[in-house]
Amino acid sequence: MAQIEQLDNNLYRLTGHLNFSTVTAVLTQFHALTIEDEITIDFSMLERSNSAGLALLMELVSDARRQNRKIFFTGLPDTLLDLAEMSNVKHLLVN
């Protein structure tokens, strides 16, 4: 299970496990958020992720660009960063 919690106005934390069975629910949660011009998502409490987590990040980046919003990620686990580097998309996640 994965969950989003709001820490501040534009700061959210993602906790739990990101995998093929949880990313759709997490994306639905993100779409339900009211986001102003920018959002920061903290991944430091994420327990586990796989390539489905990377797909979620790419979808969030794509959504933000379509809506002319900025999205920032902090605390990304090494597993996601390694997958992003192998997929040649790390530059989209690290500001």
Side-chain angles (χ1 to χ4, degrees):
M1 181 175 182
Q3 188 171 356
I4 303 163
E5 56 184 305
Q6 187 170 5
L7 302 176
D8 204 351
N9 271 349
N10 295 323
L11 178 61
Y12 296 84
R13 179 179 8 204
L14 187 61
T15 60
H17 302 241
L18 273 182
N19 55 46
F20 294 101
S21 64
T22 62
V23 292
T24 302
V26 170
L27 186 59
T28 300
Q29 289 177 43
F30 273 113
H31 286 157
L33 298 175
T34 303
I35 300 170
E36 297 298 325
D37 293 330
E38 68 179 55
I39 183 174
T40 299
I41 304 167
D42 176 16
F43 285 78
S44 63
M45 299 301 287
L46 188 67
E47 296 172 33
R48 189 175 307 144
S49 185
N50 59 24
S51 59
L54 179 60
L56 172 70
L57 292 175
M58 294 298 90
E59 183 64 26
L60 294 174
V61 167
S62 179
D63 284 352
R65 285 185 173 177
R66 273 193 305 273
Q67 299 169 9
N68 269 347
R69 294 185 175 139
K70 295 180 183 178
I71 189 164
F72 303 98
F73 304 111
T74 63
L76 286 169
D78 289 340
T79 53
L80 279 177
L81 290 172
D82 290 345
L83 283 170
E85 187 168 352
M86 287 187 295
S87 303
N88 202 28
V89 295
K90 186 176 179 181
H91 64 282
L92 298 174
L93 306 179
V94 180
N95 304 347

